[in-house]
Structures are given as C-alpha cells and as structure tokens.
Amino acid sequence: MAEPEDSGLERAAAPSHADPDHGDGRRMPGEAESDDDTTVAGMPIAAVRTAAMEGRQLAGDIDRERALELLRAGGMTIIGRMTIASNATFFVVVESSPDAAGRVVAASAVYKPVRGERPLSDFPDGTLACREVAAHAVSEASGWNVVPPTIMRDGPFGEGMVQLWMETDDTVDIAELLDSDNAALRRMAVLDVVLNNADRKDGHLLPLRDGRILGCDNGLTFAVEPKLRTVLWRWRGQRLSGEERTVLETLRGQLHGELGEELRGLLAPAEVRATVGRIGRLLRSGRLPQPDPRRPAIPWPPY
C-alpha cells in the first residue's frame, strides 16, 4: 500500500482499459454516494474518505483470522480509486452483518479487480491477483506472516484480490531501514527468493507501529524463469540460518501437500514446480543468492 499522500483518491470508475464504456464519471456498482449525509458502516462518507487519504485502518488492530473472515464475507463499498497504481486499485470498506446487538465490524482494504490488470509482456494476462493470493498463502505457510491478509473474491468490478489495508508507521525512514540488519526484512528477502519476486520496491515495504514489516504488491511473482528484482540485497551470499533452513524444508514439504494444492488453484502447474525447484536450490546452496549479472537486480523505479 503506497503512502496515502502519494496514492491519491478519486471517484471510482470502472477500469477504462478493461471497460471503456464506464469511464464517464457515473457512480459505479458498490461505490459510495458522494452526499455528505451518506454513511458507510455507520460513519459519514466524508470521514471514511478522510481516513482513506490519511492511510488509517478503520478497524484499528484486528487479528488476522478475523480480518480474513471479514475480507471473504463482508459487504464491500468502494470509497475511491488509488490514482498512483499502475493497475486498477480501489480503496474499499468491508463490513460485517450486524450482530445480535446491532454492532458492525468494518475494515479498510484494497481491491484489485482482475479486469483492471494492465497486460504485461512477461506475465500471462489476468493472473496478477492470483499471484498476490498465492504469495499470501506461502507467507502464511512459512509462519513468518510477511504479507497482509489477502483473499480472492467477487467485488463490484468482478473477481479480484482484496487485501487488508495496513496502517504504517510514518516515523520509519525506509532508507535507514534498508541499511539495517533487520530480521523481518531478511525473512522477507528469503521468501522473495522463493516467490521469485520481480518487483520488491522500497515502496512495497510496510513498517508497522508494532515493529513488524510486511510486504505488499506481490503480483509479479512465481514466474518459471528467474526474475528476482529486489531492493533487499543486503544479505546476498550469506549463509542461511538454521531457522531459515527449517522454514524452507517445511515449505517444500507443504508444497507436496495442502499448500501445493492451494497454489495449483492459483498458478500454472509449471509455476508450482518451479517454486519447489527454487526452494531445493536454496537449500542445496545453503546461501542467499547473489544478483545475476545478466539481468537487472532491482526493479525500476526502485520506490
């Protein structure tokens, strides 16, 4: 999730490159009305839009299981479109049905419909949302939980990826963080090798107030051919720790079981096999990789 002051927010319209017939400014399915007296999850729409622009999470601290349940089943209202994103990306509110006392739980989230994905020359069309969900599945299976809660579901513009909005700690200097020997960043670097992440920019790092660091925008992952492009090269060539080897062994085993079955529903069979192969090579070498001199080592731009 980009910093709110950089992301911008505008009235939602259907992705113009996917459906040019809905770019005329009309209110779209699921979009909140603009009237000041309109409410979303019991809150004035103006207050919700202000929270979105300030990067605040409406649910406050919400545990991962509750967040995943809410993302899967909650009603979705589009608040606006994030204008800086290269693919159609919407700030949304998901809310539960009222409980017996009439209380509703509402959370801020990001919705990326498949129909809003721009075609790429090196990834199959319409697959980025699935790759983001697959990255979350690998993160969860590792036990490191470095990806925000992420699911696939239907939304106002069709099926897409929905990810919990993470409220970041804006006192953290990303440049200083990248220059530190941060254990959470190192774990992300290891998983990015497994994911074959071609787009780990510093703007995709989410430092939280509790000290955790999560990674978002994981759509350019799981290609069969090597594509690792990342700003997390600090640990290049270093030996894997015992914990890292244990996690990699666990992931390899799970890829032959439930995790593999889940990924085969999201990725091509060859991409799942390639993931197993990358883990095997990491374990055999016992070290984090060096940049490949034959291709770019970092994404561009790197932020």
Side-chain angles (χ1 to χ4, degrees), residues 114 117 123-130:
V114 171
E117 295 178 5
F123 283 86
D125 292 352
T127 66
L128 303 189
C130 287

Side-chain angles (χ1 to χ4, degrees), residues 40-41 43 48 51-52 55-64 66-68 70-71 91-96 104-109 149 164-167:
V40 176
M43 294 171 281
V48 176
R56 289 187 278 116
Q57 171 54 257
L58 294 178
D61 293 328
I62 182 171
D63 68 77
R64 296 180 73 84
R66 183 70 180 97
L68 286 167
L70 188 60
L71 293 177
F91 188 96
V92 301
V93 171
V94 289
E95 59 182 296
S96 67
V104 168
V105 177
S108 313
L164 187 70
W165 179 269
M166 305 306 297
E167 188 170 331

Side-chain angles (χ1 to χ4, degrees), residues 216-248:
C216 65
D217 290 330
N218 300 298
L220 302 187
T221 47
F222 295 105
V224 172
E225 62 274 19
K227 288 184 180 292
L228 182 63
R229 294 191 293 266
T230 176
V231 295
L232 303 179
W233 287 110
R234 178 179 177 83
W235 303 276
R236 61 193 181 278
Q238 291 189 13
R239 290 187 180 278
L240 295 172
S241 69
E243 178 200 7
E244 289 162 352
R245 293 191 66 91
T246 297
V247 167
L248 291 170

Side-chain angles (χ1 to χ4, degrees), residues 118-183:
R118 295 184 183 277
L120 298 171
S121 61
D122 54 349
F123 283 86
D125 292 352
T127 66
L128 303 189
C130 287
R131 295 172 193 279
E132 294 224 40
V133 176
H136 174 260
V138 173
S139 167
E140 293 283 287
S142 74
W144 285 340
N145 299 327
V146 299
V147 176
T150 309
I151 58 96
M152 184 75 78
R153 61 167 285 182
D154 194 32
F157 299 134
E159 187 176 47
M161 183 280 296
V162 183
Q163 186 173 86
L164 187 70
W165 179 269
M166 305 306 297
E167 188 170 331
T168 57
D169 183 352
D170 58 11
T171 68
V172 174
D173 186 300
I174 295 296
E176 291 181 3
L177 180 64
L178 288 173
D179 198 37
S180 68
D181 197 25
N182 185 284

Side-chain angles (χ1 to χ4, degrees), residues 2-16:
E3 291 295 322
E5 61 267 28
D6 294 333
S7 62
L9 201 68
E10 66 176 16
R11 284 281 303 276
S16 59

